[in-house]
PDB file of all heavy atoms in Angstrom:
ATOM      1  N   HIS A 315      37.433 -15.394 -45.207  1.00 73.00           N
ATOM      2  CA  HIS A 315      36.921 -15.241 -43.822  1.00 73.00           C
ATOM      3  C   HIS A 315      37.342 -13.962 -43.213  1.00 73.00           C
ATOM      4  O   HIS A 315      38.254 -13.258 -43.681  1.00 73.00           O
ATOM      5  CB  HIS A 315      37.530 -16.444 -42.948  1.00 73.00           C
ATOM      6  CG  HIS A 315      37.001 -17.757 -43.309  1.00 73.00           C
ATOM      7  ND1 HIS A 315      37.633 -18.649 -44.114  1.00 73.00           N
ATOM      8  CD2 HIS A 315      35.826 -18.431 -42.900  1.00 73.00           C
ATOM      9  CE1 HIS A 315      36.909 -19.772 -44.217  1.00 73.00           C
ATOM     10  NE2 HIS A 315      35.829 -19.664 -43.534  1.00 73.00           N
ATOM     11  N   ASP A 316      36.651 -13.604 -42.096  1.00 69.00           N
ATOM     12  CA  ASP A 316      37.043 -12.444 -41.405  1.00 69.00           C
ATOM     13  C   ASP A 316      38.410 -12.649 -40.740  1.00 69.00           C
ATOM     14  O   ASP A 316      38.911 -13.797 -40.645  1.00 69.00           O
ATOM     15  CB  ASP A 316      36.031 -12.175 -40.255  1.00 69.00           C
ATOM     16  CG  ASP A 316      34.676 -11.716 -40.846  1.00 69.00           C
ATOM     17  OD1 ASP A 316      34.730 -10.832 -41.732  1.00 69.00           O
ATOM     18  OD2 ASP A 316      33.686 -12.248 -40.390  1.00 69.00           O
ATOM     19  N   ASP A 317      39.067 -11.532 -40.297  1.00 65.00           N
ATOM     20  CA  ASP A 317      40.400 -11.637 -39.752  1.00 65.00           C
ATOM     21  C   ASP A 317      40.544 -12.563 -38.540  1.00 65.00           C
ATOM     22  O   ASP A 317      41.503 -13.344 -38.414  1.00 65.00           O
ATOM     23  CB  ASP A 317      40.915 -10.241 -39.404  1.00 65.00           C
ATOM     24  CG  ASP A 317      41.078  -9.339 -40.591  1.00 65.00           C
ATOM     25  OD1 ASP A 317      41.275  -9.881 -41.661  1.00 65.00           O
ATOM     26  OD2 ASP A 317      41.060  -8.147 -40.412  1.00 65.00           O
ATOM     27  N   PHE A 318      39.509 -12.620 -37.790  1.00 58.00           N
ATOM     28  CA  PHE A 318      39.557 -13.467 -36.545  1.00 58.00           C
ATOM     29  C   PHE A 318      38.669 -14.690 -36.799  1.00 58.00           C
ATOM     30  O   PHE A 318      37.470 -14.565 -37.081  1.00 58.00           O
ATOM     31  CB  PHE A 318      39.075 -12.796 -35.295  1.00 58.00           C
ATOM     32  CG  PHE A 318      38.973 -13.749 -34.082  1.00 58.00           C
ATOM     33  CD1 PHE A 318      40.065 -14.083 -33.368  1.00 58.00           C
ATOM     34  CD2 PHE A 318      37.722 -14.258 -33.765  1.00 58.00           C
ATOM     35  CE1 PHE A 318      39.952 -14.910 -32.310  1.00 58.00           C
ATOM     36  CE2 PHE A 318      37.590 -15.155 -32.669  1.00 58.00           C
ATOM     37  CZ  PHE A 318      38.769 -15.501 -31.883  1.00 58.00           C
ATOM     38  N   VAL A 319      39.312 -15.893 -36.741  1.00 57.00           N
ATOM     39  CA  VAL A 319      38.556 -17.081 -36.840  1.00 57.00           C
ATOM     40  C   VAL A 319      39.078 -18.077 -35.763  1.00 57.00           C
ATOM     41  O   VAL A 319      40.164 -17.984 -35.267  1.00 57.00           O
ATOM     42  CB  VAL A 319      38.692 -17.776 -38.281  1.00 57.00           C
ATOM     43  CG1 VAL A 319      38.029 -16.947 -39.362  1.00 57.00           C
ATOM     44  CG2 VAL A 319      40.094 -18.026 -38.594  1.00 57.00           C
ATOM     45  N   SER A 320      38.264 -19.047 -35.480  1.00 57.00           N
ATOM     46  CA  SER A 320      38.585 -20.078 -34.501  1.00 57.00           C
ATOM     47  C   SER A 320      39.749 -20.944 -34.986  1.00 57.00           C
ATOM     48  O   SER A 320      39.946 -21.088 -36.201  1.00 57.00           O
ATOM     49  CB  SER A 320      37.383 -20.947 -34.228  1.00 57.00           C
ATOM     50  OG  SER A 320      37.717 -22.081 -33.489  1.00 57.00           O
ATOM     51  N   LYS A 321      40.487 -21.538 -34.097  1.00 57.00           N
ATOM     52  CA  LYS A 321      41.514 -22.490 -34.421  1.00 57.00           C
ATOM     53  C   LYS A 321      41.028 -23.953 -34.301  1.00 57.00           C
ATOM     54  O   LYS A 321      41.802 -24.868 -34.383  1.00 57.00           O
ATOM     55  CB  LYS A 321      42.775 -22.306 -33.569  1.00 57.00           C
ATOM     56  CG  LYS A 321      43.495 -20.950 -33.815  1.00 57.00           C
ATOM     57  CD  LYS A 321      44.725 -20.817 -32.942  1.00 57.00           C
ATOM     58  CE  LYS A 321      45.377 -19.469 -33.185  1.00 57.00           C
ATOM     59  NZ  LYS A 321      46.592 -19.329 -32.339  1.00 57.00           N
ATOM     60  N   MET A 322      39.722 -24.051 -34.144  1.00 60.00           N
ATOM     61  CA  MET A 322      39.130 -25.440 -34.083  1.00 60.00           C
ATOM     62  C   MET A 322      39.246 -26.151 -35.434  1.00 60.00           C
ATOM     63  O   MET A 322      39.289 -25.499 -36.451  1.00 60.00           O
ATOM     64  CB  MET A 322      37.655 -25.402 -33.681  1.00 60.00           C
ATOM     65  CG  MET A 322      37.395 -25.028 -32.244  1.00 60.00           C
ATOM     66  SD  MET A 322      35.642 -25.006 -31.822  1.00 60.00           S
ATOM     67  CE  MET A 322      35.320 -26.763 -31.975  1.00 60.00           C
ATOM     68  N   VAL A 323      39.323 -27.393 -35.409  1.00 60.00           N
ATOM     69  CA  VAL A 323      39.321 -28.237 -36.647  1.00 60.00           C
ATOM     70  C   VAL A 323      38.291 -29.338 -36.466  1.00 60.00           C
ATOM     71  O   VAL A 323      37.697 -29.470 -35.426  1.00 60.00           O
ATOM     72  CB  VAL A 323      40.707 -28.900 -36.906  1.00 60.00           C
ATOM     73  CG1 VAL A 323      41.751 -27.763 -37.171  1.00 60.00           C
ATOM     74  CG2 VAL A 323      41.194 -29.703 -35.677  1.00 60.00           C
TER      75      VAL A 323
END
Side-chain angles (χ1 to χ4, degrees):
H315 291 97
D316 292 314
D317 292 337
F318 173 79
V319 295
S320 167
K321 293 182 179 180
M322 288 182 68
V323 294

